[in-house]
């Protein structure tokens, strides 16, 4: 089973920051948090991942709480093309020893004009 | 870089026939690939993990004789849906684990574009 819980849906105004929360209270010390998004009828697209430090790339920022029990994905300036289902995933297992991604239900983000 | 090509993007087949879906890593070697299934309005469900040169590991509840996985080379994994029935109609997605050194673009897992299977 997935180790994360996310709100089912969220709305965001175009141009504003989208903050997507995720709870992973049972996360272990060496388990990474990954974020992917899926636009309708396409394969998931990688956004960002992290262990315990905050991470930023050209797409988004990932803020992980100090106790690592929750995280927030931030899209700084949401556009209509960011409308998608966003998945927060805790990788099960060690990366090169069978580690795999088990998807939860995700958050359906709607960016509105 | 790190592109996974999945083919075909959609297929319609008759009930009782078999369908093969291919997943290729174009610019890297994928020792491990994953196969997911997604029904409408639902999340991705992991079906199996395939390692190059060895038998696939199936998730609980997935019929290994129905969903045949072959990973004979470092760049190709195939999923064959045998004796397909309408309930097998779904969106099938492959994923490859990127090995080696972390890079700033992607690290971990990259996904194919998916195959829409319709069994009539």
């Amino acid at each position: 089973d997935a180790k994360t819980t996310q709100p089912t849906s969220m709305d965001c105004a175009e141009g504003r920051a989208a903050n997507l929360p995720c709870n992973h209270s049972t996360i272990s010390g060496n388990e990474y948090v990954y974020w992917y998004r899926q636009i309708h009828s396409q394969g998931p697209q990688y956004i960002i991942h992290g262990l315990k430090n905050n991470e930023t790339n050209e797409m988004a920022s990932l803020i992980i709480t100090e106790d690592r029990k929750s995280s927030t994905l931030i899209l700084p300036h949401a556009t209509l093309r960011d409308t998608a289902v966003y998945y927060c995933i805790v990788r099960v297992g060690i990366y090169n020893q069978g580690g795999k991604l088990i998807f939860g239900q995700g958050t359906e983000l709607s960016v509105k004009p | 870089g790190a592109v996974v090509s999945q083919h075909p993007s959609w297929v319609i087949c008759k009930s009782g026939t078999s369908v093969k879906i291919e997943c290729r890593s174009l610019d890297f070697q994928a020792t491990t690939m994953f196969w997911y299934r997604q029904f409408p309005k639902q999340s991705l469900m992991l079906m199996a993990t395939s390692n190059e040169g060895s038998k696939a590991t199936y998730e609980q509840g997935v019929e290994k004789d129905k969903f045949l996985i072959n990973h004979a080379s470092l760049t190709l994994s195939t999923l064959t849906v045998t004796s397909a029935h309408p309930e097998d109609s779904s969106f099938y997605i492959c994923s490859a684990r990127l090995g080696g050194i972390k890079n700033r673009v992607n690290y971990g897992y990259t996904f194919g574009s998916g195959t829409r299977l319709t069994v009539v």
Side-chain angles (χ1 to χ4, degrees):
Chain A
D1 291 345
K3 300 180 72 169
T4 62
T5 56
Q6 301 175 252
T8 302
S9 63
M10 292 181 63
D11 290 340
C12 177
E14 186 179 19
R16 305 296 291 269
N19 297 283
L20 291 86
C22 178
N23 287 323
H24 31 80
S25 58
T26 61
I27 194 171
S28 298
N30 61 351
E31 291 180 326
Y32 280 74
V33 178
Y34 288 76
W35 282 84
Y36 282 77
R37 71 181 182 184
Q38 185 180 29
I39 297 171
H40 182 63
S41 294
Q42 297 182 22
Q45 176 191 22
Y46 169 83
I47 301 173
I48 200 166
H49 77 283
L51 180 62
K52 54 183 178 182
N53 297 322
N54 297 338
E55 300 284 347
T56 296
N57 62 20
E58 64 279 2
M59 288 184 68
S61 294
L62 174 61
I63 308 298
I64 302 175
T65 58
E66 191 170 344
D67 62 8
R68 301 210 326 119
K69 293 185 176 182
S70 65
S71 60
T72 301
L73 177 74
I74 301 172
L75 307 179
H77 305 286
T79 70
L80 298 179
R81 287 180 294 182
D82 292 323
T83 292
V85 178
Y86 286 76
Y87 294 100
C88 169
I89 306 161
V90 172
R91 188 185 69 217
V92 175
I94 298 173
Y95 177 71
N96 58 354
Q97 297 179 24
K100 53 192 179 183
L101 301 182
I102 305 298
F103 284 71
Q105 293 306 306
T107 295
E108 188 168 6
L109 176 68
S110 296
V111 180
K112 301 182 182 300
Chain B
V3 175
V4 169
S5 175
Q6 188 171 342
H7 179 82
S9 56
W10 60 270
V11 58
I12 301 172
C13 72
K14 291 185 177 180
S15 186
T17 63
S18 296
V19 174
K20 180 184 284 189
I21 301 170
E22 293 188 347
C23 185
R24 294 181 183 272
S25 56
L26 296 187
D27 48 4
F28 67 98
Q29 293 181 332
T31 56
T32 302
M33 288 189 177
F34 305 88
W35 287 94
Y36 293 82
R37 179 169 56 180
Q38 185 176 33
F39 292 108
K41 301 292 185 182
Q42 295 187 23
S43 183
L44 285 76
M45 185 195 79
L46 180 64
M47 300 174 67
T49 301
S50 74
N51 292 296
E52 185 266 337
S54 62
K55 289 184 178 181
T57 303
Y58 290 81
E59 297 295 308
Q60 189 174 6
V62 178
E63 300 175 60
K64 62 180 181 180
D65 294 330
K66 181 168 187 63
F67 299 100
L68 301 180
I69 292 171
N70 184 283
H71 194 163
S73 78
L74 287 171
T75 59
L76 175 65
S77 177
T78 61
L79 168 68
T80 301
V81 183
T82 63
S83 186
H85 292 286
E87 58 265 30
D88 298 323
S89 298
S90 188
F91 192 53
Y92 292 87
I93 308 167
C94 67
S95 172
R97 186 174 69 204
L98 304 176
I101 302 171
K102 177 177 180 176
N103 62 61
R104 303 303 291 178
V105 177
N106 195 347
Y107 176 68
Y109 310 81
T110 189
F111 287 79
S113 55
T115 297
R116 174 78 54 195
L117 169 63
T118 302
V119 185
V120 298

